Amino acid sequence: MLTIDEERFQESFETYSAIGSTNNNGLHRLALTDEDKHVRDQFVADLESLGVDIRIDQIGNIFARRDGQNQDIAPILIGSHLDSQPYGGRYDGQLGVLTALETLRTLEDEGIETKRPIEIVNWTNEEGSRFQHAMLGSAVFIEKTDLSEALDLTDVEGNRLGDELTRIGYAGTDAVEPFDIHAYLELHIEQGPILEEHGNAIGVVDGVFGITWLRATIHGETDHAGPTPMHTRRDAMATAADAISEINRLPNRLSADAVSTVGELRVEPDSINVIPDVVEFTVDLRSYDDDVVAEAIERTEAEIVAACNRHGTTYELEEIWKTRHTEFSPRVRDAIADTAESLDVTYESIVSGAGHDATNVNQAFPAGMFFVPSVDGKTHNEAEYTAWGDCVTGANVYANAILALAGR
């Protein structure tokens, strides 16, 4: 049985958490910013100390390979992502990368040669908060998203993703293309309250919700807030408010697990005494049932049309990103469950409402993931927290599951 070095693991976590830290003990480390460069540099330095072969592909994914006894068979892929949400938490993504790193260190400590090689990865722009394509690095890796399309993405300030990769020194030269993978395993915080409520140490993830992101733009007419009568107005903001209110009610009419979120709002001309003529907002729709997501898209557009008809405005609706629901590999799920049982760790099966890079990898290769508890289910904010004992338990399950998959 492998046992990770708890003190070293925690020191690494604190070192990485200091890069992009916030005053409220959170993390602000958006993809391809200076903070992301700094943490990537730290990751590469830690990998170099292990003597592994490091390579960086053209979308900035960082891979490193620990040799196995047989170099000609498919490796086990481990890891997650190091970018964060704006003023997010310290555990989302980062914990998965550091657990994978600690697994490699523990194998070195024990002098264990695995049958299969093990590859570790840090995926680029998983969050999709700066460049709006979530799980981007893994999507390009499995050829779900075109490389040139990815490099041409821009942030709200007009910065091009490809240029930002070059600026921070992580525009790699390796081709972005899938290589044969025996299995991929990702550890992540739950980002929900179920494990804590049930008192279980880990959640073996059966699958992940289907997700669609939309961007709606409402066009009205600018006018003065004072002398313009209410009945003559073509108010883009009033239209958007009506539509958003109904979109937030949609899940109750669709299914028990459906959710909808309006997370971004932009108003023009954004003046207190001017009727807005352009309002842009995003819609995030999710369910484990792809048909429910499809129906949610149709109903979202219907609510926008109805609101426009009431206010004399027009609209545009764009689908900016979509992924179908995922069911993870039974073989990988069984490896996690068997390991948890062997270590006497309590576990349960669980479905993820959040997307992860494992979702993309699973479309091409056997993949799986498991969760550790999130206190109060808080995530994507600075209050995100997982008790350190739960992190250590998860890391020990992870290391031993990887050993089981890779073979001694």
Side-chain angles (χ1 to χ4, degrees):
M1 182 185 76
L2 293 178
T3 302
I4 62 127
D5 185 326
E6 182 177 343
E7 183 177 350
R8 180 178 59 198
F9 186 36
Q10 189 160 20
E11 285 177 358
S12 292
F13 184 79
E14 296 302 331
T15 296
Y16 279 64
S17 296
I19 303 170
S21 62
T22 68
N23 293 333
N24 294 316
N25 209 33
L27 201 60
H28 186 74
R29 197 163 68 208
L30 306 188
L32 311 188
T33 57
D34 291 345
E35 291 78 15
D36 191 25
K37 170 184 167 49
H38 188 179
V39 79
R40 285 165 172 263
D41 290 346
Q42 179 68 53
F43 183 54
V44 168
D46 287 335
L47 293 174
E48 287 174 342
S49 70
L50 287 170
V52 291
D53 178 34
I54 302 167
R55 63 191 190 281
I56 302 168
D57 67 22
Q58 293 168 294
I59 197 63
N61 296 322
I62 302 171
F63 292 93
R65 182 184 180 99
R66 183 180 190 266
D67 290 343
Q69 184 182 53
N70 188 340
Q71 293 299 97
D72 297 326
I73 59 176
I76 305 298
L77 184 62
I78 63 178
S80 191
H81 64 96
L82 290 169
D83 64 313
S84 83
Q85 286 285 331
Y87 298 95
R90 304 193 300 166
Y91 300 84
D92 179 359
Q94 174 173 271
L95 184 64
V97 173
L98 294 180
T99 301
L101 176 63
E102 185 58 32
T103 295
L104 294 186
R105 287 170 166 170
T106 303
L107 290 170
E108 285 297 303
D109 291 345
E110 300 294 327
I112 293 174
E113 182 181 33
T114 55
K115 178 188 291 185
R116 295 180 180 277
I118 299 176
E119 295 253 358
I120 189 172
V121 62
N122 168 51
W123 301 108
T124 293
N125 192 54
E126 191 274 350
E127 294 292 358
S129 54
R130 184 181 180 199
F131 299 98
Q132 287 192 342
H133 185 313
M135 297 131 57
L136 179 65
S138 56
V140 179
F141 172 72
I142 67 163
E143 300 178 335
K144 177 181 178 181
T145 298
D146 184 72
L147 174 63
S148 61
E149 173 190 331
L151 294 175
D152 281 339
L153 289 170
T154 57
D155 64 12
V156 293
E157 296 175 349
N159 296 304
R160 182 176 170 272
L161 187 146
D163 295 337
E164 289 297 276
L165 273 173
T166 299
R167 183 186 68 82
I168 68 169
Y170 281 90
T173 56
D174 276 40
V176 193
E177 57 188 13
F179 51 85
D180 193 19
I181 295 169
H182 181 67
Y184 172 73
L185 182 57
E186 183 172 352
L187 176 146
H188 209 278
I189 58 169
E190 181 193 348
Q191 302 180 292
I194 295 173
L195 292 176
E196 184 181 44
E197 289 176 357
H198 294 177
N200 286 316
I202 69 168
V204 182
V205 184
D206 287 335
V208 178
F209 277 25
I211 308 169
T212 294
W213 287 357
L214 307 173
R215 179 181 291 113
T217 306
I218 309 297
H219 298 279
E221 185 176 338
T222 301
D223 225 325
H224 197 295
T228 307
M230 298 300 290
H231 70 279
T232 66
R233 299 182 179 204
R234 296 176 57 229
D235 189 333
M237 186 63 170
T239 306
D242 276 5
I244 290 168
S245 179
E246 294 304 316
I247 290 166
N248 283 332
R249 293 189 181 98
L250 280 179
N252 295 330
R253 307 168 200 157
L254 295 173
S255 73
D257 73 348
V259 290
S260 64
T261 305
V262 173
E264 293 183 4
L265 188 70
R266 183 178 64 84
V267 181
E268 294 180 8
D270 200 22
S271 174
I272 193 170
N273 63 343
V274 177
I275 298 167
D277 69 337
V278 177
V279 173
E280 184 179 278
F281 61 92
T282 58
V283 183
D284 179 314
L285 302 168
R286 306 187 185 210
S287 169
Y288 198 52
D289 186 331
D290 292 327
D291 290 338
V292 170
V293 176
E295 185 178 358
I297 295 169
E298 291 180 5
R299 292 201 181 191
T300 293
E301 184 162 20
E303 294 297 350
I304 293 171
V305 169
C308 287
N309 289 340
R310 287 192 293 271
H311 293 275
T313 53
T314 60
Y315 78 97
E316 299 164 13
L317 187 63
E318 173 191 7
E319 183 178 283
I320 55 178
W321 180 68
K322 182 176 186 176
T323 184
R324 295 177 62 83
H325 92 283
T326 296
E327 296 178 14
F328 285 127
S329 161
R331 172 163 59 84
V332 181
R333 298 201 313 259
D334 289 346
I336 303 164
D338 291 346
T339 301
E341 288 182 3
S342 71
L343 298 178
D344 199 25
V345 171
T346 58
Y347 70 94
E348 65 181 287
S349 295
I350 197 167
V351 172
S352 174
H356 303 281
D357 290 305
T359 308
N360 282 334
V361 179
N362 193 64
Q363 294 180 31
F365 306 102
M369 58 189 311
F370 69 89
F371 291 156
V372 292
S374 296
V375 173
D376 294 329
K378 300 291 185 183
T379 189
H380 280 196
N381 62 54
E382 294 164 303
E384 178 183 280
Y385 181 71
T386 294
W388 190 247
D390 288 331
C391 295
V392 172
T393 297
N396 280 319
V397 171
Y398 188 86
N400 284 279
I402 293 303
L403 182 56
L405 289 165
R408 280 185 180 269

